[in-house]
Amino acid sequence: MSEAKGALSGITVIDLTRVLAGPYCTQMLGDLGADVIKIERPGAGDDTRRFAPPFVADEAGTSTGESAYFMSANRNKRSIAVDLTTPEGQALVRQLVADADALVENFKTGDLTRYGLGYDDLIKINPKLVYCSITGFGQTGPYASRPGYDFLIQGMGGIMSLTGEPGREPQKVGVPIADVMSGMFAAVAINGALVHAAKTGQGQYIDIGMLDTQVAWLVNQGMNFIHSGVAERLGNAHPNIVPYQVFQTADGHIVVAVGNDGQFRTFARIIGEPGLPDDPDFATNAARVTNRDKVTAHIQAIMTTQPSAHWLTELEKAGIGCGPINTLDQVFEDPHVLAREMVRTIPHPKAGPDGVKIIASPLRLSETPVQYRHHPPLLGEHTDAVLAEKLGLSAAEIAKLRAAGTVG
């Protein structure tokens, strides 16, 4: 039986992105089967190649010089090193674009236009091209020229005002979530535009602003504010459901998620107070939200009487949402995470025979499964192969470009 092809098999993506939002987007496209050609600066490459330590180690425990950060967002790509500041390098990109399906970039607004690589330039070469720009603030508006950084966007976009304990310093999310969500929104838009191009032969421009995406994924809290004028920082509590938060137990902390009034009646029985729902302050979710402090204080006092294992066992048995608060070592040792194979080992030229571990894609497609075709590439690892395959350049022609510093 032949190996199943990815859903985007046959699609070529020119990747002019670096750091995280753009690379995360193009990694998703690569996971879905696209041929992603990552164009990097000769000698330097993607900034995240230097976001370290930690570096990935080989079988002897020696550093490979490849950063774990870079590897988090760059599998299923081929790297070529091209100097975009030179006319010769720009010409190579234009030639690659001629037969590509999509281009993704996250340069500052207007930077690629100066190189003759803007959307208006390239759509003349390839009318079916899907061109996606990911910037901090989008292509229009008073902030369009500003650089965008995840931390900055989390602050400006409101999520930090909602994260952390009441009365304490605002907190960013523990991973660069504004970058990641921007990359995900971009990948969804690109897939939609590719379908449109396949149907009509018409390419289009996609403008992804990180601040836009941050505002969009305020979701229920954003809508709560629009319609009530209130969206407060609640720590680990839910703004619209009670009890739905972290509780301290006799020996630690657990998450408890009681989603409706029926579940609350079951929950009350488990904690030894079956009559609690008869109290008007506890009877409905709306009442519990209104009387949040009273409700949570009452429940908290009970939860500290038993260890975490007791509550998790009893709540799970009754079908009440609950779970431990795992550290990362516990996450990666969790039997469910192991069963779902969320850590994979793939070959890597520097990692030795045991390969390198990566966090797997969560995308599970029955007919076009994700495949791990390419390790996160070494800088310029595929320059010769891609230029020969895509542009038909001979070894002598590539050597001449390399001697001139056009490619690395």
Side-chain angles (χ1 to χ4, degrees), residues 207-343:
D207 172 11
I208 300 291
M210 290 175 63
L211 184 59
D212 297 346
T213 66
Q214 175 59 78
V215 172
W217 71 264
L218 290 174
V219 286
N220 62 309
Q221 281 284 56
M223 289 294 285
N224 288 345
F225 176 80
I226 288 172
H227 292 281
S228 72
V230 176
E232 56 188 327
R233 191 182 310 140
L234 295 170
N236 289 312
H238 194 291
N240 305 110
I241 307 173
V242 173
Y244 196 107
Q245 62 189 82
V246 169
F247 284 104
Q248 183 177 353
T249 67
D251 62 353
H253 295 82
I254 63 171
V255 172
V256 175
V258 178
N260 56 51
D261 294 338
Q263 289 182 5
F264 185 74
R265 285 190 290 274
T266 302
F267 176 75
R269 175 180 55 79
I270 291 170
I271 65 173
E273 296 208 11
L276 201 57
D278 297 330
D279 184 328
D281 290 345
F282 291 76
T284 66
N285 182 67
R288 293 191 296 274
V289 171
T290 300
N291 298 284
R292 177 189 301 275
D293 291 346
K294 175 182 177 180
V295 172
T296 56
H298 187 87
I299 295 171
Q300 179 59 84
I302 297 170
M303 299 299 286
T304 54
T305 64
Q306 296 286 348
S308 296
H310 167 82
W311 294 123
L312 292 173
T313 299
E314 295 302 313
L315 292 170
E316 287 175 6
K317 191 188 306 180
I320 300 297
C322 64
I325 300 172
N326 288 333
T327 55
L328 292 194
D329 60 321
Q330 294 169 322
V331 170
F332 290 118
E333 293 170 1
D334 185 280
H336 191 82
V337 173
L338 293 172
R340 297 287 287 179
E341 297 183 285
M342 282 307 299
V343 175

Side-chain angles (χ1 to χ4, degrees), residues 8 94 209 284 318:
L8 294 181
R94 282 191 283 272
T284 66

Side-chain angles (χ1 to χ4, degrees), residues 383-395:
T383 300
D384 291 26
V386 169
L387 294 183
E389 172 192 329
K390 297 290 186 180
L391 304 184
L393 298 184
S394 67

Side-chain angles (χ1 to χ4, degrees), residues 40-101:
E40 303 186 68
R41 293 173 294 168
D46 191 314
D47 304 63
T48 60
R49 290 185 181 276
R50 296 174 299 284
F51 285 11
F55 293 101
V56 173
D58 62 18
E59 74 277 10
T62 303
S63 171
T64 63
E66 300 294 307
S67 79
Y69 195 121
F70 176 82
M71 290 203 175
S72 73
N74 286 286
R75 65 169 173 262
N76 282 332
K77 303 178 186 182
R78 297 192 287 170
S79 170
I80 68 173
V82 177
D83 186 352
L84 297 182
T85 67
T86 67
E88 296 79 10
Q90 295 155 17
L92 286 177
V93 174
R94 282 191 283 272
Q95 291 176 64
L96 288 169
V97 164
D99 291 319
D101 298 282

